[in-house]
Amino acid sequence: IAPRELRLERIMQPSLAREAAPNRAAAEETLRKGDRDRKQFVRHLFNMDWDDPAPYDLVVNTRTLSIDSGMKLLA
């Protein structure tokens, strides 16, 4: 997990996977669509709320834990 604003900033960063970083409106749409799709997927398959951390064994907040540290934790 991470705060919405941080997630938007990450989406707007240039990437090797695409030629240019998306503008804010495109990043917001990407985030909104991704969150909606994940929520529907988890609801459909497991009848659970995607936002509820209780069913998960581990929830990593990437605002307070770097991506490298999170990867080491998972490994």
Side-chain angles (χ1 to χ4, degrees):
I1 63 169
R4 181 175 176 74
E5 193 60 35
L6 179 57
R7 295 169 64 212
L8 281 171
E9 289 173 20
R10 289 177 178 162
I11 292 170
M12 291 188 298
Q13 290 177 352
S15 167
L16 295 176
R18 57 184 182 264
E19 292 183 17
N23 62 32
R24 185 167 186 91
E28 287 177 347
E29 179 60 24
T30 297
L31 185 60
R32 189 173 24 258
K33 183 180 183 312
D35 286 353
R36 183 197 65 220
D37 291 350
R38 284 182 198 89
K39 187 172 191 162
Q40 289 175 349
F41 178 80
V42 171
R43 171 67 66 196
H44 176 74
L45 288 182
F46 306 109
N47 196 30
M48 295 176 11
D49 286 325
W50 174 60
D51 295 331
D52 181 7
Y56 299 99
D57 293 325
L58 177 68
V59 177
V60 177
N61 185 339
T62 60
R63 181 187 72 188
T64 58
L65 187 68
S66 71
I67 293 174
D68 287 340
S69 295
M71 288 171 33
K72 289 176 185 174
L73 177 68
L74 291 173

